[in-house]
Amino acid sequence: MQVADLFRYKNPEIKALHLTWIAFFMTFYVWFNMAPLAAMMLQSEDWLTREDIQIFAIANVALTILARVFVGMALDRWGPRRVFSALLVVMAIPTFVFAFGDSREVLFVSRLVISCVGASFVIGIHMTALWFKPRDIGFAEGFYAGWGNFGSAGAALTIPSIALYVFGGDDGWRYAIAMSGTVMALYGVYYWFAITDGPKPGTQRKPRKASALEVSSYGDMVLHILFTIFLTGVLAIVVYRIHLSGFIGDNLSYALYLGIALIIIYQVVQILRVNLPILKRGVPEDDRYPYKSVAALHVTYFANFGAEIAVVSILPMFFLMTWGLSPVQAGLVASTFAFVNLVARPLGGLVSDRFGNRRFVMAAYMFGIGIGAVLMGLLDSSWPLVIAVCFTILFSVFVQGAEGATFGIIPSIKRRVTGQISGMCGAYGNAGAVFYLFIFMYVTPQQFFFIIAAGAFISWLVCVIWLQEPKGGFDENYVLSSVDHAIAEENRLKEDARSRLGQFLAGNQGVELSQKNDGFQLTAKFRDLDDLRTLVQQLEQKGLKGH
């Protein structure tokens, strides 16, 4: 795939790519519409404090962790078109609540719910993987994510001016946020009718079970359980910090800790329920995949996307406080970090496609993040602002490129569970953001960047040890196993049976054939009692009465 191909809008896959990155852009615009307006909110609402804004920033990434995991499962069941459209429309509701909330509790809860919109990333990743071949997937995913991620920069660049100059007044920030939610919801309706799940029916490969990720060995299952426990357990940090700030009392915090524990238990039970029967039967050799590669990408995304979200959340305030800029100026300068997304993330995917070794590219980018974060940690008010901007851009090039390289690998690991792998990997990015934002509350900005550097160097080491080059990562088509072909044949037979049953049941069009436990469940809907009576009479005439 060449850069020039991006302008060939008549090609169905290019049209799908543009439709999807725009949807992603909308969600990121809404997701990060608070950070550029934080100073205005503090000035216009005397009941808000800087600590409240910090708590809102943590809430803004908290539920994305769980949302990305469950959205990943939903993708493998319902497909990205339905899931993306629903998310765009539904997430407009908490956006409106936040826009017109009149207490810090309302703002906090609505921001917590808004954090689910961050699950949009894995939806588009899955959609793009359905439209593009393995040899082109790095650039396609990088372009989608880079231009979609630019929504955070778009918010930093435009929403302060919209609040100040389009609406104005003390409530200008409220109307600006409400407007972003309205546009997102309208696009969600459009997206439903404008796109399909891949170029033809059957493009999406579905697993037999979508309630937990399938693995290839008992050792992989144990590792998957450990990573699942850590991922959900990170939410305890959010509860602890919120409790410490006085937003919730002791009893509620204990209830939330218990809720997190129950979620972990539920996830572990599902992992065992899905995988123990598979492992007992034995996994065919051609259906195995290295879970350690998945775990390595969890760690890299924790360190790169987690760093991005954390830095985007604090960068406007960092420039405002360190160099004494106005809110609009600070938003413009801070937007350079996300602005680089337009080029750096597609470049990361393109390098991954062209270099011929996706593993090496991934490791190299993670090492570069460590260097860039060290340079950011050296900055203070004694440095010229232009140097700070240059360091920010350099840091961003490695951060965004590493994200593009990560998702240049994921679709080739195991085709039929791409949604679940993407969902959990994306969730680890948000877990990283929660962790880094929590740390930020106790350290200086300089120390914060050094901590990010340490995380990057650790993830680089994990890549070197665990990450394997994916099979067929540069082929014309994705590698499919004997199990993939068996599932496809089962789905074909089920659809054929459903069609024939529909014809038999008096032409009924409401026939549904679904798998339940170890068997199948048949459901038929009738327009009225007369249709049902007619069918019973037909069955009796054919000698089927009593069977």
Side-chain angles (χ1 to χ4, degrees):
M1 182 177 177
Q2 306 292 328
V3 175
D5 292 335
L6 295 172
F7 299 97
R8 294 172 180 163
Y9 304 108
K10 292 184 179 179
N11 290 358
E13 67 272 16
I14 300 301
K15 178 182 177 182
L17 179 61
H18 288 300
L19 286 171
T20 303
W21 79 255
I22 292 172
F24 184 36
F25 178 97
M26 298 283 186
T27 61
F28 251 55
Y29 192 101
V30 169
W31 194 12
F32 293 101
N33 58 17
M34 183 191 74
L37 298 174
M40 296 183 200
M41 293 170 64
L42 290 172
Q43 291 173 1
S44 62
E45 311 299 336
D46 56 10
W47 43 270
L48 278 178
T49 67
R50 183 165 297 164
E51 185 182 18
D52 292 336
I53 298 297
Q54 291 177 326
I55 294 296
F56 297 161
I58 291 180
N60 201 46
V61 297
L63 290 187
T64 317
I65 297 171
L66 290 178
R68 288 190 171 189
V69 173
F70 289 109
V71 161
M73 296 177 184
L75 285 173
D76 288 333
R77 182 168 184 178
W78 290 298
R81 178 185 68 92
R82 294 176 179 176
V83 177
F84 216 153
S85 298
L87 186 76
L88 289 165
V89 173
V90 172
M91 284 297 102
I93 298 173
T95 305
F96 298 145
V97 174
F98 183 85
F100 300 108
D102 57 1
S103 71
R104 66 176 193 159
E105 289 77 18
V106 170
L107 295 186
F108 168 76
V109 172
S110 57
R111 207 72 226 178
L112 194 65
V113 178
I114 289 172
S115 69
C116 293
V117 82
S120 60
F121 169 71
V122 299
I123 307 174
I125 285 291
H126 192 57
M127 177 67 87
T128 306
L130 292 177
W131 280 92
F132 287 87
K133 300 180 183 299
R135 65 186 183 189
D136 299 323
I137 194 63
F139 180 66
E141 301 277 32
F143 180 83
Y144 153 76
W147 282 65
N149 269 5
F150 186 67
S152 62
L157 284 167
T158 62
I159 205 164
S161 297
I162 292 172
L164 283 171
Y165 306 122
V166 175
F167 296 110
D170 290 342
D171 291 333
W173 69 270
R174 296 181 180 276
Y175 295 119
I177 287 177
M179 183 196 69
S180 67
T182 301
V183 174
M184 180 177 69
L186 292 174
Y187 192 81
V189 175
Y190 171 73
Y191 192 80
W192 178 279
F193 297 101
I195 199 169
T196 58
D197 291 332
K200 59 184 179 181
T203 299
Q204 180 175 345
R205 300 284 175 170
K206 297 182 179 181
R208 286 193 175 100
K209 301 285 187 179
S211 55
L213 179 66
E214 298 174 17
V215 296
S216 303
S217 69
Y218 287 101
D220 287 350
M221 185 176 68
V222 172
L223 191 59
H224 180 43
I225 288 173
L226 292 176
F227 269 84
T228 300
I229 291 172
F230 178 82
L231 178 63
T232 306
V234 167
L235 291 173
I237 294 176
V238 180
V239 176
Y240 170 77
R241 190 62 189 86
I242 296 169
H243 179 221
L244 199 63
S245 67
F247 268 82
I248 58 176
D250 292 343
N251 292 336
L252 181 55
S253 65
Y254 296 147
L256 291 174
Y257 287 132
L258 177 61
I260 292 170
L262 292 175
I263 291 172
I264 291 174
I265 292 171
Y266 170 79
Q267 290 175 316
V268 172
V269 168
Q270 290 301 313
I271 292 170
L272 296 172
R273 188 164 168 261
V274 167
N275 284 287
L276 285 178
I278 295 173
L279 297 175
K280 286 178 181 178
R281 289 195 304 267
V283 180
E285 188 63 34
D286 70 339
D287 197 50
R288 293 173 176 269
Y289 71 96
Y291 185 81
K292 284 185 178 180
S293 287
V294 177
L297 296 175
H298 292 342
V299 176
T300 64
Y301 215 62
F302 182 99
N304 57 47
F305 188 72
E308 178 191 349
I309 299 302
V311 169
V312 166
S313 299
I314 64 98
L315 210 54
M317 190 68 71
F318 172 67
F319 280 112
L320 186 148
M321 301 301 296
T322 305
W323 282 275
L325 305 178
S326 70
V328 173
Q329 290 172 331
L332 288 172
V333 174
S335 69
T336 58
F337 182 87
F339 194 91
V340 177
N341 256 317
L342 295 176
V343 176
R345 190 150 184 173
L347 180 63
L350 185 61
V351 170
S352 182
D353 286 343
R354 299 292 176 82
F355 193 79
N357 189 323
R358 297 189 189 277
R359 175 179 177 272
F360 176 83
V361 172
M362 185 74 258
Y365 266 113
M366 294 312 302
F367 196 84
I369 291 176
I371 299 298
V374 168
L375 293 176
M376 292 292 292
L378 298 175
L379 292 173
D380 57 32
S381 59
S382 66
W383 289 74
L385 181 60
V386 65
I387 298 297
V389 172
C390 290
F391 281 3
T392 301
I393 292 173
L394 178 65
F395 179 44
S396 182
V397 165
F398 285 107
V399 170
Q400 323 295 352
E403 294 165 5
T406 298
F407 281 89
I409 296 175
I410 283 177
S412 297
I413 292 178
K414 191 64 183 171
R415 179 63 168 169
R416 71 173 180 269
V417 291
T418 296
Q420 292 178 69
I421 294 175
S422 298
M424 191 166 179
C425 187
Y428 256 91
N430 283 90
V434 168
F435 174 79
Y436 286 134
L437 285 172
F438 176 74
I439 294 296
F440 180 70
M441 303 184 80
Y442 301 98
V443 298
T444 66
Q446 289 74 22
Q447 292 170 332
F448 176 67
F449 285 113
F450 288 137
I451 290 169
I452 288 177
F457 287 132
I458 291 171
S459 67
W460 166 79
L461 185 60
V462 172
C463 274
V464 171
I465 298 172
W466 276 358
L467 186 60
Q468 297 181 24
E469 186 70 15
K471 295 179 180 178
F474 300 96
D475 292 349
E476 178 72 14
N477 294 303
Y478 291 97
V479 174
L480 298 179
S481 69
S482 57
V483 176
D484 292 317
H485 291 297
I487 292 174
E489 179 64 14
E490 288 175 10
N491 291 334
R492 188 190 68 78
L493 292 174
K494 283 167 57 178
E495 181 59 28
D496 181 61
R498 190 200 67 78
S499 177
R500 294 173 65 183
L501 284 167
Q503 294 175 2
F504 175 73
L505 297 177
N508 188 281
Q509 299 299 311
V511 175
E512 294 293 339
L513 185 64
S514 58
Q515 190 167 356
K516 190 171 184 180
N517 298 326
D518 295 328
F520 292 92
Q521 177 175 288
L522 175 65
T523 304
K525 298 178 182 178
F526 296 88
R527 286 173 297 181
D528 51 40
L529 191 59
D530 289 337
D531 279 355
L532 177 60
R533 187 180 295 112
T534 300
L535 174 63
V536 172
Q537 291 172 352
Q538 290 176 346
L539 293 174
E540 290 175 344
Q541 291 171 2
K542 293 184 179 183
L544 297 178
K545 183 178 182 181
H547 292 274

